């Protein structure tokens, strides 16, 4: 559908005014965010913390403290900001959530994620989860998630950081043996089968004796 010239001019005027109002704003108002997520996907980076501990691999999961999946277990992640590199987004989100540094798993790089996943919003109600086979679900956006395995030192001490909008995204963090991943009911985004099991299989098969 093509807009009439008068409607196109009005939309351009609104866009210019909105750009001025939102200049310097990091977290968009709900109405603006809803509009943007209805017409364009959001690029995110996700990280699966891994460590070799007492002769076995473990993955680290936060307990979410915000959003639709509050109190569910999930990995570390967040959006890539405008003007930010993927590597910088990886570093920022790890430090924001756990206040620790990390290294990408051997063989991975910013342009070589372990998995690329998709999460969708319900087109009829952007606050409602929308299930699609094999992709999990997400309550507020269509997200393209570049997903990485990251190495965390066995002696690293975790301190919970804060999200960019001032809330605390994680209220707990625990390590789980890869042969003992919690059941799907405890995992956010329907991500046990799409994310955590493939990571566990990769670690067992490719690095059975540590990295």
């Amino acid at each position: 559908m093509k807009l009439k010239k008068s409607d196109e001019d009005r939309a351009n005027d609104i866009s210019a005014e909105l750009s001025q109002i939102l200049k310097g704003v990091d977290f968009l108002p709900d109405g603006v965010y809803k509009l943007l997520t209805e017409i364009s996907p959001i690029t995110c980076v996700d990280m699966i913390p891994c460590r070799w501990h007492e002769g076995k691999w473990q993955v680290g999961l936060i307990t979410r403290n915000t959003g639709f999946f509050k109190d569910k277990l999930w990995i570390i992640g967040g959006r890539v900001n405008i003007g930010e590199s993927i590597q910088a987004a990886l570093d920022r989100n790890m430090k924001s959530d756990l206040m620790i540094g990390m290294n990408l798993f051997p063989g991975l790089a910013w342009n070589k994620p372990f998995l690329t996943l998709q999460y969708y919003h319900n087109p009829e109600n952007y606050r409602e989860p929308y299930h699609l086979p094999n992709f999990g679900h997400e309550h507020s956006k269509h997200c393209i998630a570049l997903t990485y395995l990251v190495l965390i030192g066995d002696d690293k001490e975790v301190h919970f950081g804060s999200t960019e909008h001032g809330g605390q995204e994680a209220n707990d963090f625990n390590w789980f043996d890869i042969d003992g991943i919690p059941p799907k009911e405890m995992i956010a985004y329907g991500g046990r089968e799409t994310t955590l099991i493939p990571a566990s299989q990769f670690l067992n098969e490719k690095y059975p004796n540590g990295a």
Side-chain angles (χ1 to χ4, degrees):
M1 171 179 155
K2 185 171 176 59
L3 289 175
K4 297 183 199 174
K5 184 62 178 173
S6 59
D7 289 335
E8 185 177 340
D9 290 341
R10 184 164 174 262
N12 285 333
D13 289 341
I14 293 171
S15 176
E17 183 175 355
L18 190 58
S19 294
Q20 287 299 315
I21 293 171
L22 295 177
K23 189 171 289 185
V25 172
D26 291 326
F27 206 68
L28 296 174
D30 280 353
V32 178
Y33 187 73
K34 177 179 182 296
L35 172 63
L36 294 180
T37 57
E38 285 177 347
I39 61 177
S40 181
I42 291 175
T43 302
C44 292
V45 290
D46 281 346
M47 291 159 280
I48 307 172
C50 305
R51 73 172 182 177
W52 181 255
H53 179 71
E54 296 182 352
K56 64 182 73 172
W57 281 109
Q58 295 182 323
V59 294
L61 303 175
I62 62 170
T63 300
R64 288 183 57 88
N65 196 39
T66 60
F68 186 84
F69 291 104
K70 188 176 186 296
D71 298 326
K72 299 286 187 179
L73 299 170
W74 195 229
I75 56 181
I76 308 300
R79 65 179 180 174
V80 180
N81 289 334
I82 295 295
E84 181 180 45
S85 70
I86 291 174
Q87 182 64 58
L90 290 167
D91 293 336
R92 174 177 56 80
N93 280 288
M94 180 60 75
K95 289 173 182 173
S96 174
D97 279 356
L98 300 182
M99 297 179 70
I100 57 176
M102 54 81 193
N103 294 305
L104 290 179
F105 208 82
L108 302 182
W110 69 267
N111 59 340
K112 294 180 181 179
F114 173 64
L115 294 169
T116 300
L117 298 170
Q118 303 180 70
Y119 304 97
Y120 291 81
H121 69 281
N122 185 335
E124 303 301 325
N125 179 356
Y126 83 108
R127 292 191 180 279
E128 180 180 314
Y130 184 55
H131 295 259
L132 288 177
N134 303 320
F135 289 122
H137 54 91
E138 160 62 44
H139 72 291
S140 63
K141 59 182 176 290
H142 174 184
C143 170
I144 308 297
L146 307 175
T147 307
Y148 300 83
L149 297 177
V150 297
L151 278 170
I152 306 294
D154 200 10
D155 59 345
K156 285 285 187 182
E157 189 175 343
V158 169
H159 300 278
F160 298 125
S162 293
T163 58
E164 294 167 324
H165 52 98
Q168 185 130 14
E169 187 170 275
N171 64 15
D172 201 4
F173 177 85
N174 289 285
W175 290 102
F176 297 89
D177 293 345
I178 58 172
D179 295 326
I181 300 297
K184 64 181 181 181
E185 293 78 15
M186 296 176 64
I187 308 296
Y189 301 101
R192 186 181 192 275
E193 304 302 322
T194 61
T195 308
L196 298 176
I197 294 302
S200 299
Q201 292 170 340
F202 175 84
L203 292 170
N204 263 335
E205 293 171 7
K206 300 294 185 182
Y207 294 92
N209 301 310

